[in-house]
Amino acid sequence: MCAVVRLRYGGVSVIEIEQILRTRIAPDEVLLRVEAAGLDRGAWHLMTGRPYLLRLAFGIFRPRQRGLGREVSGTVLDVGAAVTKFSVGDEVFGIGAATFAEYAAAREDKLAHKPANVTFEEAAVVPISGLTALQGLGEVGRLVAGQHVLVLGASGGVGSYAVQLANAYGAEVTGVCSLAKADFVRSLGASHVLDYTRTDFADGTQHYDLILDLGGNPGVLRLRRALTPEGTAVIVGGEEGGRLTGGMGRQLRALLLTRLSSQRLTTMLCKERSEDLDELAGLITDGTLTPALDQIYPLERVANAMGDLEAGKIRGKSAITAARTRSRIAS
């Protein structure tokens, strides 16, 4: 099969397209014909190997797994002996391994049936970003209807879902993004939009019950200034930290400071659960949630897609599709 691989960490120049053996599945996995794969910020981190702390899990000097990509939507071609939820021919979406490829394996407990009212490309950009938004607002952020919610990074992958979900749950939502993406964030349901280049969300004019910090880099004290006395800040990531720990250093400081305050400063890791994917599928089916798909790239242009993501050109998410590659090989 045709797949995106890299043999070392680095920029987009490390990406290669190779013909490799089709992946094998374990008893609890299904084999998917990949119709589309989502491109999230995590794929960029795994390509670059930054922050360096990640390499403890994924390979210190070179990546243990050559493939890239985790979000996926596709058609089930084969099922493992222990799989009971899916059958051959089912259309599914969720989280797999090395999904920038024509075929990929995925565990049964990290998949859900694809909503019929969206395309494969739209479904592919939901899993990790949608789960992070869902859990960050609810399970971790403990959102209550009527609260004032601030979403930092509102135009990004997770932010585009967080704005929609917070609005649907009855919150008054303020999104922070660039001026060029303000109309996009308003279209997602934000009542207010702040241009981060012109307006300081922590200037004291408004205080928020819940702040979802998605890949920004404000100091912990700035987050505290923007919170109500008993408000909660959920720090999901950070792209401007040092090469060693990235945003994780800021997260650790937040966890230490929260012990000394009535405000709650916390962080989270996305839990990859099929039941939460089922919930997202239901929200998409009833029209509450719309996948924020911006660009679609063929498999051969993954490097371009990574470059556009790094440059901040994408509103919401991008999808990678192997359809053109598969068609060319078949002909």
Side-chain angles (χ1 to χ4, degrees):
M1 68 176 183
C2 192
V4 171
V5 300
R6 88 285 194 225
L7 302 180
R8 64 188 189 280
Y9 295 117
V12 296
S13 62
V14 305
I15 291 177
E16 301 177 14
I17 309 292
E18 286 188 3
Q19 289 288 331
I20 64 174
L21 292 176
R22 186 184 295 188
T23 186
R24 296 180 179 181
I25 58 172
D28 62 344
E29 292 181 329
V30 304
L31 176 67
L32 298 177
R33 180 178 67 219
V34 177
E35 306 294 349
L39 174 58
D40 69 324
R41 193 75 186 185
W44 181 89
H45 286 295
L46 292 179
M47 177 187 72
T48 60
R50 290 165 41 196
Y52 295 142
L53 199 58
L54 285 175
R55 301 189 185 192
L56 294 177
F58 297 100
I60 295 177
F61 300 108
R62 61 179 60 86
R64 293 194 187 101
Q65 184 184 72
R66 299 201 309 158
L68 282 171
R70 302 200 63 222
E71 293 183 309
V72 67
S73 67
T75 305
V76 177
L77 294 182
D78 194 10
V79 298
V83 172
T84 59
K85 183 177 179 180
F86 304 106
S87 302
V88 173
D90 285 352
E91 297 181 349
V92 301
F93 77 113
I95 300 167
T99 59
F100 295 166
E102 292 185 275
Y103 304 93
R107 278 173 36 181
E108 179 183 34
D109 61 357
K110 295 188 179 185
L111 293 173
H113 290 281
K114 182 183 80 68
N117 59 333
V118 295
T119 65
F120 282 109
E121 290 83 4
E122 290 170 325
V125 301
V126 173
I128 293 176
S129 297
L131 289 175
T132 303
L134 182 74
Q135 296 165 12
L137 291 170
E139 184 175 331
V140 182
R142 305 171 189 171
L143 174 64
V144 176
Q147 288 186 326
H148 290 262
V149 175
L150 180 72
V151 180
L152 301 175
S155 64
V158 180
S160 62
Y161 295 109
V163 171
Q164 293 182 73
L165 289 171
N167 182 59
Y169 294 156
E172 183 174 330
V173 184
T174 298
V176 178
C177 62
S178 66
L179 181 62
K181 298 177 181 178
D183 288 343
F184 169 66
V185 173
R186 289 191 187 93
S187 74
L188 297 172
S191 300
H192 316 282
V193 179
L194 304 180
D195 173 8
Y196 71 87
T197 66
R198 300 182 180 183
T199 306
D200 180 6
F201 69 86
D203 63 4
T205 59
Q206 176 66 53
H207 294 89
Y208 302 93
D209 302 293
L210 173 60
I211 298 176
L212 200 59
D213 181 5
L214 307 168
N217 201 40
V220 174
L221 294 180
R222 285 187 66 210
L223 291 174
R224 290 187 60 186
R225 283 200 300 270
L227 284 172
T228 58
E230 297 184 351
T232 294
V234 181
I235 302 174
V236 179
E239 303 301 334
E240 299 177 16
R243 289 174 176 259
L244 178 61
T245 62
M248 287 182 272
R250 188 168 60 105
Q251 294 171 347
L252 291 174
R253 290 193 296 274
L255 292 175
L256 290 173
L257 280 175
T258 196
R259 299 173 179 270
L260 307 174
S261 170
S262 60
Q263 295 169 326
R264 181 167 163 261
L265 307 173
T266 188
T267 184
M268 66 168 288
L269 291 174
C270 175
K271 298 176 181 176
E272 300 170 352
R273 301 182 296 216
S274 60
E275 56 266 34
D276 286 354
L277 288 169
D278 288 332
E279 182 175 350
L280 290 172
L283 293 169
I284 293 170
T285 298
D286 67 20
T288 300
L289 192 66
T290 300
L293 174 62
D294 187 5
Q295 299 290 332
I296 301 173
Y297 300 82
L299 197 62
E300 296 90 337
R301 295 189 60 224
V302 167
N304 301 85
M306 284 283 195
D308 289 345
L309 175 68
E310 185 175 13
K313 296 180 179 180
I314 304 302
R315 302 181 181 197
K317 296 284 293 290
S318 295
I320 309 299
T321 176
R324 188 180 305 176
T325 302
R326 191 177 294 120
S327 175
R328 190 184 67 248
I329 293 173
S331 63

